Amino acid sequence: MSFLDSKNRLFSKFNSLDFRAIQLSLLVIFGILLFIGTSIGVAQVRTAPKPGFTLQLLHTSDQEAGVPALKDAPNFSAVLNALKNQDVNRDGKPDYPNTLILSSGDAYIPSPFLFASDTAFGGQGRGDILILNALGFGAIAFGNHEFDLGTAVVADLIRAKEDYPGTKFPYLSTNLDFSTDKDLAKLVTADGQEASKIPNKIARSTIITLNGEKIGIVGATTPTLRTISSPGGVTVLPKEFNDRNTADIAALATEIQTSVDALLTKNSEINKVILLAHMQEIAIEQKLAELLKGVDIIVAGGSNTLLADKTDRLRVGDKSAGTYPILKKAADGNPIAVVNTDGNYRYVGRLVVNFDGNGVIIPKSVDSKISGAYATDSQGVALGGKPDPKIVAITEALKKVIIAQDGQIFGKTNVFLNGWRSDIRTQETNLGNLTAEANLAIAKGYDPKTVISIKNGGGIRDNIGIYTFPAGSTRSQDVIKLPPQANLLAGKKEKEISQLDITNALRFNNGLTLVTLNATELLALMEHSVAAIAPGATPGSFPQVAGLAFSFDPDLPAGKRVKSLAIKDEKSKITDIVAKNAELVGDANRIFRTVTLNFLATGGDGYPFPKTERVDLTSKDVDKSKRTGLATFAQDGSEQDALAEYLTANFKQIPFAQVDVPPAEDTRIQNLKFRKDMVLSKVN
């Protein structure tokens, strides 16, 4: 049969059918095909991968400006500007035009730096915020130190006023509910808005658009906030949190995931998300990385973990605590990067990474010669950036106020007083002993029956003295620790301890509180004080004490670590044995008058002080003319006042001389991993 015959037969069949029915059928078929084709086209548009994208993330956390920031903050701006404007091929364009500047919190802290703003800029902390504005941060997560002075101060610093711009960026946290706090509720705005449109506001998430590319930013804050700071009426979620409990970390991940999902659902064009997570321990951020979906980068905060690679030049004496970045596999199977640097304006973190068309980071694109930690010392500034003139002007204004404090002298020391974070939170130090002794001495003036002083290492924020290195050495073991240096501008001589030294080391200036403990309660407190000790951890709850000595084994389960505990007098003579061989000795109800910080007495750092009658020693009178003693810069009964008065009474002429020693030689807090238990011996 020919092709023509076949064609005629086909036409004869069509002629035998109802032509209208055929027309209708063809229309239906055509409509179906058109719908399918259109749907396929739409699907192709929605799922078609976008071109790749290169991001330069410049980040930090824990800026926490103290006196060193007078130099380090301008230096930070110089390094930041050098990286932001880098133009290797000299074509007049930045090498990385898609640049984000972010912080994961603790942007300020109570310190001489913060308080000097009251005089220099009309309100405490304003200088800190003005610096952050000048640096160009797009968004910052809430850390714990933002709340140290209460939520009224937080609101005052965020909100714009006639003579003060407030934060030119939004503050973020997904697991804090600010609607329950009277000071902060009015500052909350809708989530997922452009950051540039919500300065002076609080949200769970925001969006930053870089050359047409939208990037989602979500914030999160440690759920331990209520025990380590003063968040007022803010609701902290999850309400119950133990960092060693996988279920609690999963609950936190769920809180974060809710905001991530909401952001992505409302903005289908976004396929890149950065989490600013202030968790205090980088181990938690790493665990979160494996539980989250749709998150590409986590900027960690609170742990001051210096991540760096072999190509990074670190500041003299510093050591890398891990590779930059830490790469994990997220719950969606995609790679996720965790980054962090040391705080206090000492480093700029830099992550330059490529994303594929689906918004997934490409780990191999991270070049260790480009990404990593950039030191903000003089060598770092030599990269070619220049300090921001605005920041220089801010720090100069603060410096004038601070220098005046450095000329007020209260004592002398022949030795370096150790307030290093890694030491003060893990072992007994000479500065810890000195401040605990000072608190005990002041408390005895109120109640002579006071025999014990307990404070937290986390309340000591800096050394009194300086550290340096021999020429040409960068090894930590070569460090030279020296007492305070002279300040000719302020009239301060070498080895003198000034008001500035005291306020910088004891930045929180907690009030002192008298409490009465029975033997059982005292042992429980000491167990709590060492419960968080773990490899690599620097818990703020670690104690510094006077009037007692105890030993503990960090390898035993938390709550069962204390082996020996004894009360000792000024000459280190044992007056009472409370625990021996990990067992309570004697009458469990016998009592000990104790001085502590009001922060701890109210449950700060999780301390289980009994809810019994307490006597707060801090004077409520802010009138300096009515303050007693030789030191009137701080309220009577506060930590700073106690140390100043103690130094004046004991070390005005004869310098303090207790050299700091390693854990193997500690006597008040004996870590049995490093030494034998000698608490109950007559000579230790």
Side-chain angles (χ1 to χ4, degrees), residues 619-628 632 634-636:
S619 168
K620 304 298 181 183
D621 194 342
V622 295
D623 185 351
K624 291 185 179 181
S625 66
K626 296 182 180 179
R627 294 176 182 172
T628 62
T632 57
Q635 290 173 292
D636 287 357

Side-chain angles (χ1 to χ4, degrees), residues 192-213:
Q193 300 181 72
E194 277 285 343
S196 60
K197 295 181 180 179
I198 53 171
N200 315 114
K201 294 294 183 181
I202 296 171
R204 294 183 179 87
S205 63
T206 189
I207 297 170
I208 297 179
T209 303
L210 301 175
N211 297 312
E213 189 78 16

Side-chain angles (χ1 to χ4, degrees), residues 333-562:
N334 292 326
I336 182 171
V338 179
V339 295
N340 198 16
T341 63
D342 195 7
N344 307 109
Y345 290 106
R346 291 166 51 81
Y347 290 89
V348 176
R350 184 194 204 189
L351 178 67
V352 176
V353 62
N354 294 342
F355 290 79
D356 68 16
N358 292 315
V360 178
I361 65 170
I362 304 173
K364 291 184 179 179
S365 69
V366 179
D367 185 344
S368 64
K369 295 179 181 178
I370 297 173
S371 296
Y374 285 76
T376 60
D377 53 9
S378 57
Q379 285 183 262
V381 174
L383 282 168
K386 294 183 178 180
D388 188 308
K390 292 181 181 178
I391 295 176
V392 172
I394 294 166
T395 53
E396 284 299 318
L398 296 172
K399 186 177 180 180
K400 291 178 181 179
V401 178
I402 291 172
I403 282 178
Q405 299 175 13
D406 210 19
Q408 302 298 315
I409 307 302
F410 293 94
K412 298 177 182 179
T413 176
N414 282 335
V415 297
F416 174 86
L417 300 177
N418 187 3
W420 276 111
R421 177 189 176 97
S422 58
D423 291 340
I424 203 75
R425 294 170 177 238
T426 58
Q427 66 187 69
E428 173 188 338
T429 80
N430 61 351
L431 180 54
N433 288 346
L434 178 61
T435 58
E437 290 280 3
N439 293 351
L440 182 57
I442 293 298
K444 284 180 178 291
Y446 288 88
D447 185 348
K449 294 181 180 179
T450 308
V451 293
I452 298 171
S453 173
I454 302 171
K455 62 180 295 179
N456 62 325
I460 299 175
R461 307 303 300 187
D462 214 334
N463 310 302
I464 294 181
I466 67 165
Y467 60 94
T468 186
F469 289 80
S473 173
T474 60
R475 301 188 308 166
S476 59
Q477 58 265 41
D478 292 338
V479 65
I480 300 172
K481 298 177 181 179
L482 301 172
Q485 299 299 285
N487 183 341
L488 298 179
L489 293 176
K492 177 185 179 182
K493 298 177 182 178
E494 186 180 358
K495 299 184 179 181
E496 290 184 334
I497 301 174
S498 70
Q499 174 185 331
L500 181 58
D501 292 321
I502 294 168
T503 57
N504 189 52
L506 302 177
R507 296 176 192 175
F508 299 141
N509 197 27
N510 289 289
L512 303 181
T513 296
L514 286 174
V515 295
T516 299
L517 305 172
N518 63 35
T520 300
E521 292 164 341
L522 175 59
L523 181 56
L525 285 170
M526 291 300 96
E527 284 285 6
H528 174 80
S529 73
V530 293
I533 287 291
T538 53
S541 55
F542 187 85
Q544 297 296 327
V545 300
L548 63 78
F550 72 101
S551 63
F552 72 100
D553 186 343
D555 292 330
L556 294 177
K560 297 181 179 180
R561 292 178 168 178
V562 175

Side-chain angles (χ1 to χ4, degrees), residues 146-172:
E146 270 86 355
F147 299 95
D148 285 340
L149 297 174
T151 55
V153 172
V154 179
D156 186 67
L157 289 175
I158 292 176
R159 190 183 296 116
K161 301 174 183 63
E162 186 175 339
D163 60 341
Y164 167 68
T167 58
K168 290 185 178 180
F169 52 84
Y171 253 111
L172 308 177

